[in-house]
Amino acid sequence: MMTEISLNVLDIANNSIRAGAGLIEITVQIQRDRDALTIIITDDGCGMTPEQLKSVEDPFFTTRTTRRIGLGVPFFKMAALSTEGSFKIDSTPGSGTTITAVFGLTHIDRMPLGDMNSTIHTLITLNTHIDFLYTYSFDGNQFTLDTREFRQVLGDVPLNSPEVSAYIKEYLTENQNEADGGYHI
Amino acid sequence: MKSLEELKAIREKMQGQIGIRNESSDQTRVVVGMATCGIASGARPVLTALSDAVQTKGLANVSVTQTGCIGLCQYEPIVEIYEPGKDKVTYIKMTPEKAQEVVEQHLIRGHIIQKYTIAEVLG
C-alpha cells in the first residue's frame, strides 16, 4: 500500500518506462466544483494485448520474472475506488497505454496527493532518454513542464546536470504554488 | 511563472564544460530499487537524498540510478553500490538519514558501513 498518490504515479510511470515509451504524459487535475482529483498517465510504449489488459488489474499478474506478483496497478485502482472514484485502462498494442484514475477529492479515504514534484523530478532526472509532459491543473489554473521544450533550450546540456536539476525542482515548486496558492491537497 | 530565460542562462554558463564529466570505468554506480515494493517502503526520499548529497558534495565519479525489483522486497528500500574492482555492497532498510551516512562514509571516505549491510543485518 502506498502512502501518497504521487508514489502510485511514480510506480505506474515505471511501467511506461519498461514499455519502452519515448514520451510519458502525466496530468494532475483538481476540480473542487466536481469534488474530483484526476490522474491521467499516457505513454507511447508497446501497449498491451486484450488478454494482458484483462489480467493487469489482477495482483497475481506481472511481466517481471523475479516474483510472480505485481501490485502496482491493483494498489492504484484500490486507492481510487475506495474514494468512490473510478479507474480505467485503455491500451493498444504498438501504440501505447492510458491510465485514468479519478479520486473523490474530499472523500475521507483519499490519501494525500503528496509530493508530486518529487515524483516528476525523479522521473525526469533518472530517465533522461525519455520525454515527459507534466500538466498540473487546479480549478482551471494550470502549468505544464515539457522536457522537449527544455531540451530545445538546453542543446547538449543534460537534464540531470546539477544546475538543470535544481532549475527543474524550482520550476515545479514555484509554478505549482502559483497554480494552487499552496492549497493543501 | 518561472521562465525558460533562466534555462538559457544555465545553458550559456554550462556550454564548454560538457564532456568533462568522466563516464569511464572508474565510475561508481549507486543503484536504488524502485519497483512497487521499493517505492512503497520509502525508496523515493532515499533516492532524492542520495542524488542531492552526491550533487552537493560534487562527486563527479558517482552516478545514482534506479532499478526494478531486486527480489528482496521485505528488505526495501535497498541501495546497491558497485565500485570498480570491488565486491558489490548491498545496504538494506535504508532511510534518507542512513543514505547521507553512506555518502559521507562509504562514497567519500571508502568505509563500508557494515551495520547497514545485508550481511550484517541478517547475520
Side-chain angles (χ1 to χ4, degrees):
Chain A
M1 191 63 193
M2 301 290 177
T3 49
E4 297 175 6
I5 293 172
S6 71
L7 291 175
N8 285 284
V9 174
L10 178 60
D11 189 26
I12 298 296
N14 275 312
N15 295 344
S16 299
I17 293 165
R18 234 167 308 142
L23 172 68
I24 301 174
E25 295 171 51
I26 297 173
T27 301
V28 175
Q29 189 178 39
I30 295 121
Q31 296 158 295
R32 285 187 292 178
D33 55 340
R34 285 189 50 212
D35 194 34
L37 165 60
T38 307
I39 307 278
I40 307 168
I41 302 164
T42 300
D43 70 58
D44 60 355
C46 64
M48 287 179 280
T49 63
E51 293 76 49
Q52 284 178 313
L53 198 51
K54 236 181 281 168
S55 44
V56 72
E57 291 172 25
D58 170 1
F60 296 99
F61 174 81
T62 179
T63 54
R64 68 179 166 183
T65 49
T66 43
R67 184 160 301 217
R68 298 186 54 161
I69 302 178
L71 291 172
V73 171
F75 273 167
F76 195 30
K77 182 181 179 182
M78 181 182 72
L81 295 189
S82 64
T83 66
E84 288 168 37
S86 63
F87 185 84
K88 187 175 70 159
I89 306 180
D90 297 300
S91 191
T92 316
S95 63
T97 301
T98 296
I99 293 193
T100 309
V102 182
F103 293 79
L105 183 63
T106 58
H107 195 285
I108 187 83
D109 288 328
R110 181 181 63 81
M111 57 175 100
L113 177 61
D115 194 348
M116 246 339 273
N117 294 339
S118 177
T119 283
I120 298 298
H121 182 264
T122 302
L123 285 169
I124 293 174
T125 53
L126 261 72
N127 302 281
T128 49
H129 58 295
I130 298 175
D131 276 311
F132 291 89
L133 172 58
Y134 173 54
T135 306
Y136 179 84
S137 161
F138 181 85
D139 284 350
N141 298 326
Q142 71 167 53
F143 80 92
T144 59
L145 188 166
D146 189 340
T147 56
R148 292 168 299 184
E149 267 177 26
F150 281 21
R151 270 184 227 279
Q152 248 176 14
V153 176
L154 285 169
D156 51 4
V157 177
L159 287 165
N160 60 357
S161 59
E163 287 80 358
V164 179
S165 164
Y167 171 86
I168 293 172
K169 221 176 255 181
E170 287 164 24
Y171 182 96
L172 289 164
T173 314
E174 283 183 23
N175 287 330
Q176 176 175 348
N177 248 320
E178 225 164 273
D180 65 17
Y183 189 83
H184 192 74
I185 299 153
Chain B
M1 182 88 183
K2 206 158 170 66
S3 74
L4 292 177
E5 286 301 313
E6 281 178 60
L7 204 55
K8 258 182 214 152
I10 292 173
R11 178 202 173 162
E12 272 145 33
K13 191 178 127 210
M14 289 196 62
Q15 255 173 354
Q17 296 177 34
I18 306 296
I20 295 170
R21 208 186 129 117
N22 191 355
E23 293 281 353
S24 69
S25 55
D26 64 348
Q27 194 82 359
T28 293
R29 283 195 308 130
V30 178
V31 180
V32 184
M34 290 284 282
T36 306
C37 46
I39 294 171
S41 315
R44 188 185 63 188
V46 169
L47 181 97
T48 306
L50 286 167
S51 312
D52 286 354
V54 164
Q55 266 180 21
T56 48
K57 302 284 178 189
L59 307 179
N61 65 328
V62 177
S63 63
V64 181
T65 57
Q66 62 175 348
T67 186
C69 178
I70 297 166
L72 299 165
C73 308
Q74 64 272 43
Y75 306 121
E76 295 280 359
I78 297 176
V79 175
E80 295 178 323
I81 300 196
Y82 296 85
E83 285 176 287
K86 293 187 189 169
D87 285 339
K88 173 182 80 175
V89 176
T90 304
Y91 291 112
I92 63 172
K93 294 184 185 281
M94 292 298 282
T95 62
E97 293 73 29
K98 288 180 185 174
Q100 258 157 11
E101 276 183 70
V102 165
V103 173
E104 289 283 348
Q105 299 301 324
H106 188 154
L107 297 178
I108 295 177
R109 296 189 178 80
H111 304 311
I112 297 171
I113 308 178
Q114 294 295 346
K115 61 182 177 182
Y116 301 152
T117 61
I118 188 162
E120 190 82 6
V121 175
L122 301 187

